[in-house]
Amino acid sequence: MEVTCLLLLALIPFHCRGQGVYAPAQAQIVHAGQACVVKEDNISERVYTIRESDTLVLQCLVTGHPRPQVRWTKTAGSASDKFQETSVFNETLRIERIARTQGGRYYCKAENGVGVPAIKSIRVDVQYLDEPVLTVHQTVSDVRGNFYQEKTVFLRCTVSSNPPARFIWKRGSDTLSHSQDNGVDIYEPLYTQGETKVLKLKNLRPQDYASYTCQVSVRNVCGIPDKAITFQLTNTTAPPALKLSVNETLVVNPGDNVTVQCLLTGGDPLPQLHWSHGPGPLPLGALAQGGTLSIPSVQARDSGYYNCTATNNVGNPAKKTVNLLVRSLKNATFQITPDVIKESENIQLGQDLKLSCHVDAVPQEKVTYQWFKNGKPARMSKRLLVTRNDPELPAITSSLELIDLHFSDYGTYLCMASFPGSPVPDLSIEVNISSETVPPTISVPKGRSVVTVREGSPAELQCEVRGKPRPPVLWSRVDKEVVLLPSGLALEETPDGKLRLERVSRDMSGTYRCQTARYNGFNVRSREAQVQLTVHFPPEVEPSSQDVRQALGRPVLLRCTLLRGSPQRIASAVWRFKGQLLPPPPVVPAATEATDHAELRLDALTRDSSGSYECSVSNDVGSATCLFQVSAKAYSPEFYFDTPNPTRSHKLSKNYSYVLQWTQREPDAVDPVLNYRLSIRQLNQHNAMVKAIPVRRVEKGQLLEYILTDLRVPHSYEIRLTPYTTFGAGDMASRIIHYTEPINSPNLSDNTCHFEDEKICGYTQDLTDNFDWTRQNALTQNPKRSPNTGPPTDISGTPEGYYMFIETSRPRELGDRARLVSPLYNASAKFYCVSFFYHMYGKHIGSLNLLVRSRNKGALDTHAWSLSGNKGNVWQQAHVPINPSGPFQIIFEGVRGSGYLGDIAIDDVTLKKGECPRRQMDPNKVVVMPGNGAPGLPSLQLWRPLAIFLLALQR
């Protein structure tokens, strides 16, 4: 009876497992791409070494249910590297042409809302070797009381590299060292730590005048070749020296053509000359040719420092600087300063008065000022003094002081700035002094102290200034959080007192200060006023969109909440159902004061009341909408991706089955799920097969299972799964399933590798052989391949079936070897049997060898089986017994024969515990290929009759 029940359960393709399968995320980082220097067999290695400009590929393998979301982040590396400020939401992180600044530690974070997130990290070490730089320095010192001089030369070689470079110094072709030549010393400066090596030539000798080479190496790490630089040392070697054809400060007029020559006065080897400008690049139109710099029609904006630098890697670079000043006059301002001693802010007869004038000039110290009164030059006297460089005013300012002001001193004063003898036009400014000249006052016009505008509209803030003369108005922000004006300035000048703002935004709201300037007017305490700017903007609500699920007959409450807006209140709220206006909901007395949300209550959800609801909220400036999709639809299923070995196949039947597992998301939120509708469609085809899967009560976390049969090897399929309740169809979930073969492991019950998957069951190409094995089938064969060698199809005889083979055409040569290495197996039995099919057809067939690589102490390869020569155009099978003493790998080695007609292929590799069959198959015996009549896997139609029969038998 018990045996019958167990057999019955095994035959039913649909299962429900009662235990909850929700599990927190687990993660593991594996590296691919163009990694180098990765320790073989060390699966816990957390350092990924890669050459600069290669492609970085990191994959985060995750488990957990629901399927975890993966996020990549980075820390460490260069401060200029912006990767740590962003995230990559993908299981695979790929960086093309990786740079050295992108090295550091990368983190993979996987989370699915169950438990704590899983975080794994790996350090990426980017390796590089730059071109070395060689510089020469010389010193001359007196020895023994100036009887003779000793000359010492230092050759300094510097390079940037990772890992630290190894340095080799050569004179000619001979390698230098301390022990072989007492006249040289090689050392590493303490402050450079491995990136610099110095060759010191002590008390220079005739033989020291030679060619020196600095060779740097990172020992071929990541295939980075060595680099070198050579310098020829002679008795004329000298650092560069320069002189200029002009003075270090050159003053010119606008429009002049400027030419500056930088002349070499020494240096061997011949130095290279370079012109630069600070700040910024050379002016547009400037031409630097050798040591000559030409600037046609120079303008004021071209003023600045121009640097001529000469380098020849001997000593320090030589540098000469020209300060080019293009004459200009701009920004004339004046100030009226009442009697300072008497602390007066008004002009009064009998008190002192000072008028000041300033112009921004280049060069500032060369500008001259002249004062005029009523159009005539002002005459100096005891009561009228002209001073320059007033310590209380900006530098190079001219002041006219009137002592004991008289009525006759009233008038119009003019200050004129000029460059005598220069074509630059004079610049002047007037100031009128009379009984009407009064200090300023500032105020905000009535009704303008608070300005309210809508977001996106222009705004104008205004302050009125009275007084004579009227100074400019300076605007600034009062708010401590925002110190800059919308223009980006902390202080902005307006001549008419109006601050104009275009397209105001909500962050421009706040208090603005207007104040009088202390120039072009009275030099007294600034007068101030304030204006409040209020920016109204439409409301922002939540949820902007919400999916509401509920069982039929249950109540539903919809709430639309105001997050922010100006004004911050709800003026009106309108509800719509499927676009049709709904009557206002009844007012609840307790909620009459609520101004931050609107609610709609459905007493009982029905099919007719299911659909789209909109709540439009207004604050008299604009409106925003909350969208609710209300239904009793079931949520989508959650596919379970951690099914162990979901694929089951038998290559001879050309079919495979797949164990599909899933859970139902929030099954208690709606009516119970009655059944699932399963749609199966082969990729690149239009027709789909649809099946109904009935279920009983589905619990949260319950693992549901269905076995998909009669799937064609090696095709992929799109699976769509839709739950159905009394309401109808729920949300559909889809996924793609691929035919994959398990990594060949002795612990697997089905451990035959058919090479149908691109991962080829974990086999890898040996890096020490001459060429690689190739995976192909009849559809991917080269149409120009060599005839009379190689198999037409794989062991199944189907054009889609894959196999592994070696291509022996050119450039392959006699004796070239290709090795295919299996994954590492942990020996858990004394004997194993390796079974495989081989195809060796062609008159130039070489050899096929099976080797066993032991991993007990290092890597030791031993021959287990070998076969040579032409065996005919048939697939044949071999069984090879092995008895590894510890962890091991198996290796298929193909050896090229005497010509191109020597392709060898293998297929269907099996590794099983135990001894091989006693009756070994003759290597030359043909294996009968299964035809259309060969038995296949039981079809789905056989399950239900067989189950009914077993139930009847049980009764």
Side-chain angles (χ1 to χ4, degrees):
M1 183 71 69
E2 293 179 357
V3 173
T4 305
C5 292
L6 291 174
L7 180 60
L8 176 61
L9 290 174
L11 292 175
I12 298 177
F14 176 76
H15 299 275
C16 294
R17 298 186 181 178
Q19 74 274 16
V21 295
Y22 287 107
Q26 301 289 330
Q28 177 188 1
I29 296 177
V30 296
H31 42 64
Q34 296 172 297
C36 54
V37 195
V38 177
K39 293 184 179 179
E40 192 176 2
D41 300 338
N42 188 357
I43 61 174
S44 64
E45 177 62 50
R46 309 315 301 156
V47 178
Y48 181 114
T49 304
I50 186 171
R51 182 174 175 172
E52 189 173 40
S53 296
D54 283 351
T55 300
L56 168 75
V57 180
L58 297 177
Q59 187 175 9
C60 190
L61 304 180
V62 296
T63 60
H65 188 70
R67 183 72 168 177
Q69 296 294 315
V70 174
R71 174 186 175 192
W72 284 96
T73 56
K74 174 184 175 291
T75 59
S78 170
S80 63
D81 184 8
K82 299 301 182 184
F83 185 91
Q84 58 263 40
E85 298 177 5
T86 61
S87 299
V88 176
F89 291 89
N90 200 339
E91 293 186 8
T92 300
L93 173 65
R94 184 182 183 90
I95 301 178
E96 303 282 352
R97 298 186 59 81
I98 190 169
R100 64 191 65 179
T101 57
Q102 293 174 302
R105 185 162 293 278
Y106 287 77
Y107 291 86
C108 159
K109 181 180 181 180
E111 54 185 338
N112 61 355
V114 180
V116 298
I119 301 177
K120 297 294 181 180
S121 69
I122 187 170
R123 183 167 62 85
V124 174
D125 191 18
V126 182
Q127 312 246 305
Y128 57 91
L129 177 63
D130 290 345
E131 294 291 339
V133 176
L134 195 155
T135 58
V136 180
H137 301 269
Q138 304 178 79
T139 62
V140 177
S141 58
D142 294 330
V143 180
R144 295 182 183 179
N146 298 331
F147 284 108
Y148 69 94
Q149 290 182 325
E150 183 178 277
K151 189 175 183 180
T152 303
V153 174
F154 300 86
L155 286 84
R156 180 186 295 266
C157 186
T158 303
V159 72
S160 294
S161 69
N162 182 36
R166 180 181 62 184
F167 293 79
I168 299 175
W169 281 101
K170 294 182 179 180
R171 180 192 287 131
S173 59
D174 299 331
T175 301
L176 296 174
S177 66
H178 305 281
S179 59
Q180 297 178 353
D181 190 338
N182 294 328
V184 303
D185 188 12
I186 301 175
Y187 63 92
E188 177 181 312
L190 295 177
Y191 56 86
T192 55
Q193 295 300 317
E195 293 298 329
T196 299
K197 271 292 195 302
V198 175
L199 172 63
K200 179 181 179 181
L201 305 177
K202 301 178 290 186
N203 192 14
L204 208 62
R205 305 160 299 181
Q207 63 265 32
D208 292 330
Y209 294 113
S211 175
Y212 292 88
T213 299
C214 172
Q215 180 177 328
V216 292
S217 170
V218 289
R219 296 160 289 281
N220 203 35
V221 169
C222 290
I224 300 176
D226 296 351
K227 296 183 179 180
I229 186 171
T230 300
F231 183 85
Q232 182 71 40
L233 181 65
T234 68
N235 59 0
T236 60
T237 298
L242 291 174
K243 71 174 183 179
L244 292 173
S245 62
V246 297
N247 295 329
E248 292 184 354
T249 299
L250 180 60
V251 181
V252 297
N253 293 316
D256 289 352
N257 296 324
V258 176
T259 300
V260 180
Q261 287 187 322
C262 189
L263 305 174
L264 285 171
T265 59
D268 183 23
L270 183 66
Q272 298 292 320
L273 293 174
H274 173 72
W275 280 98
S276 62
H277 177 230
L282 291 174
L284 188 66
L287 178 63
Q289 191 170 12
T292 302
L293 173 66
S294 300
I295 307 176
S297 187
V298 70
Q299 301 299 320
R301 62 178 176 271
D302 300 331
S303 294
Y305 290 93
Y306 291 80
N307 306 306
C308 175
T309 305
T311 57
N312 67 349
N313 291 340
V314 179
N316 296 320
K319 181 178 179 181
K320 292 292 183 180
T321 300
V322 177
N323 183 13
L324 179 63
L325 300 177
V326 182
R327 294 186 178 95
S328 66
L329 295 172
K330 60 182 179 178
N331 299 335
T333 59
F334 70 88
Q335 289 179 316
I336 303 173
T337 307
D339 198 322
V340 177
I341 297 177
K342 297 183 179 181
E343 298 181 354
S344 176
E345 291 191 350
N346 296 283
I347 297 177
Q348 298 183 25
L349 296 177
Q351 293 185 358
D352 295 346
L353 181 67
K354 181 166 61 177
L355 307 180
S356 303
C357 172
H358 177 80
V359 171
D360 294 334
V362 176
Q364 189 74 56
E365 65 278 1
K366 299 297 183 181
V367 67
T368 63
Y369 293 96
Q370 286 182 285
W371 284 93
F372 296 84
K373 178 185 178 183
N374 298 328
K376 297 180 180 181
R379 294 182 178 182
M380 301 301 102
S381 65
K382 293 182 180 181
R383 291 193 314 102
L384 195 149
L385 303 177
V386 175
T387 60
R388 187 180 175 94
N389 296 334
D390 190 326
E392 298 179 359
L393 298 172
I396 319 300
T397 298
S398 178
S399 296
L400 176 66
E401 294 190 51
L402 298 172
I403 309 300
D404 187 16
L405 185 66
H406 292 181
F407 181 82
S408 60
D409 295 326
Y410 287 164
T412 300
Y413 291 83
L414 182 140
C415 174
M416 179 183 294
S418 62
F419 287 122
S422 168
V424 177
D426 300 338
L427 188 62
S428 62
I429 189 168
E430 285 186 350
V431 55
N432 184 267
I433 301 299
S434 69
S435 58
E436 297 178 355
T437 305
V438 294
T441 62
I442 193 168
S443 61
V444 179
K446 186 177 180 180
R448 301 288 295 172
S449 59
V450 177
V451 177
T452 302
V453 295
R454 291 195 177 194
E455 190 172 38
S457 301
E460 184 178 271
L461 310 185
Q462 182 178 359
C463 285
E464 290 183 346
V465 179
R466 293 181 175 86
K468 187 178 181 180
R470 288 196 300 177
V473 175
L474 304 178
W475 287 90
S476 60
R477 298 280 304 252
V478 177
D479 309 272
K480 294 182 179 179
E481 296 81 6
V482 184
V483 296
L484 296 181
L485 293 165
S487 62
L489 303 174
L491 205 64
E492 185 171 339
E493 176 186 320
T494 59
D496 58 356
K498 296 179 180 180
L499 179 64
R500 296 172 176 85
L501 306 175
E502 301 292 336
R503 297 185 58 83
V504 297
S505 58
R506 62 194 66 180
D507 58 346
M508 294 182 187
S509 296
T511 304
Y512 290 74
R513 178 192 294 115
C514 59
Q515 63 187 47
T516 57
R518 299 181 65 177
Y519 55 87
N520 289 352
F522 275 74
N523 181 22
V524 295
R525 176 182 55 85
S526 296
R527 275 57 170 170
E528 297 182 0
Q530 293 185 352
V531 179
Q532 179 70 34
L533 175 63
T534 301
V535 180
H536 282 176
F537 56 90
E540 295 181 12
V541 295
E542 70 171 4
S544 58
S545 179
Q546 185 178 7
D547 187 13
V548 180
R549 306 293 175 99
Q550 185 62 280
L552 294 174
R554 294 181 183 176
V556 176
L557 179 64
L558 307 179
R559 171 177 285 191
C560 184
T561 302
L562 176 65
L563 290 180
R564 62 187 63 88
S566 179
Q568 180 75 18
R569 61 180 177 80
I570 296 179
S572 63
V574 178
W575 288 89
R576 289 182 173 84
F577 174 58
K578 295 182 179 179
Q580 299 297 318
L581 191 65
L582 292 176
V587 177
V588 180
T592 54
E593 299 299 326
T595 60
D596 63 343
H597 67 271
E599 291 183 349
L600 179 67
R601 179 179 294 273
L602 306 178
D603 294 331
L605 181 64
T606 64
R607 285 187 175 86
D608 293 337
S609 61
S610 298
S612 176
Y613 289 81
E614 299 178 19
C615 178
S616 180
V617 170
S618 172
N619 67 346
D620 293 334
V621 176
S623 62
T625 302
C626 294
L627 297 178
F628 303 91
Q629 192 65 39
V630 180
S631 75
K633 290 172 56 177
Y635 285 104
S636 61
E638 301 168 314
F639 285 112
Y640 188 68
F641 289 86
D642 298 336
T643 306
N645 305 316
T647 306
R648 302 287 187 272
S649 67
H650 192 278
K651 193 169 185 180
L652 298 182
S653 71
K654 309 173 187 177
N655 294 337
Y656 72 95
S657 61
Y658 193 92
V659 180
L660 184 70
Q661 294 180 313
W662 71 93
T663 59
Q664 178 60 41
R665 178 187 169 196
E666 302 296 340
D668 298 329
V670 295
D671 298 297
V673 176
L674 303 177
N675 61 76
Y676 289 89
R677 180 165 295 180
L678 177 68
S679 170
I680 309 172
R681 181 183 65 86
Q682 181 178 321
L683 295 187
N684 302 322
Q685 292 192 3
H686 299 290
N687 297 329
M689 180 175 62
V690 180
K691 299 180 180 180
I693 306 174
V695 294
R696 295 182 179 179
R697 177 75 180 180
V698 178
E699 304 291 340
K700 183 174 182 179
Q702 180 180 355
L703 186 63
L704 308 177
E705 178 179 299
Y706 189 84
I707 301 177
L708 307 173
T709 60
D710 298 326
L711 306 177
R712 299 285 294 176
V713 175
H715 296 293
S716 299
Y717 291 82
E718 180 191 37
I719 306 299
R720 295 185 176 184
L721 192 63
T722 307
Y724 276 77
T725 64
T726 54
F727 179 80
D731 292 338
M732 180 268 295
S734 66
R735 65 171 292 191
I736 304 296
I737 62 170
H738 303 279
Y739 174 74
T740 57
E741 294 181 316
I743 293 181
N744 202 340
S745 170
N747 299 321
L748 298 177
S749 58
D750 180 8
N751 50 23
T752 301
C753 180
H754 306 297
F755 301 112
E756 299 300 330
D757 188 358
E758 291 182 357
K759 298 179 181 178
I760 57 175
C761 311
Y763 279 77
T764 57
Q765 307 284 355
D766 195 335
L767 300 179
T768 63
D769 56 8
N770 305 110
F771 65 110
D772 290 340
W773 287 79
T774 303
R775 174 178 171 267
Q776 82 170 16
N777 61 14
L779 301 177
T780 61
Q781 288 179 352
N782 187 346
K784 297 182 180 180
R785 68 187 183 96
S786 304
N788 302 320
T789 186
T793 66
D794 71 337
I795 184 64
S796 71
T798 61
E800 298 88 0
Y802 281 89
Y803 56 89
M804 302 296 293
F805 87 108
I806 61 170
E807 171 60 67
T808 57
S809 300
R810 290 183 180 179
R812 303 278 69 84
E813 297 180 352
L814 176 65
D816 280 357
R817 299 173 184 270
R819 287 186 165 194
L820 190 65
V821 185
S822 76
L824 182 67
Y825 305 123
N826 293 316
S828 58
K830 186 174 181 181
F831 298 102
Y832 288 89
C833 182
V834 182
S835 302
F836 60 93
F837 286 87
Y838 61 88
H839 190 282
M840 302 173 66
Y841 169 56
K843 65 179 182 180
H844 300 143
I845 290 292
S847 302
L848 176 63
N849 304 319
L850 178 67
L851 298 88
V852 178
R853 175 172 292 174
S854 174
R855 288 289 182 180
N856 271 344
K857 298 180 179 179
L860 178 63
D861 297 345
T862 56
H863 278 264
W865 180 90
S866 183
L867 194 64
S868 302
N870 185 1
K871 303 304 178 186
N873 189 14
V874 291
W875 283 100
Q876 305 178 60
Q877 191 175 29
H879 302 285
V880 182
I882 61 174
N883 56 342
S885 58
F888 69 96
Q889 295 170 285
I890 59 174
I891 302 173
F892 287 95
E893 181 183 67
V895 184
R896 202 255 195 188
S898 58
Y900 64 92
L901 298 178
D903 297 351
I904 300 174
I906 60 173
D907 200 2
D908 285 18
V909 180
T910 303
L911 177 64
K912 293 185 177 180
K913 295 180 182 178
E915 298 182 353
C916 291
R918 292 187 178 181
R919 296 183 60 184
Q920 294 288 325
M921 184 174 292
D922 186 345
N924 295 317
K925 183 177 179 181
V926 178
V927 177
V928 178
M929 302 297 295
N932 293 333
L937 292 177
S939 66
L940 180 64
Q941 290 76 8
L942 295 179
W943 289 112
R944 298 190 183 280
L946 185 57
I948 295 173
F949 169 75
L950 290 174
L951 283 172
L953 182 63
Q954 179 179 2
R955 293 178 180 177

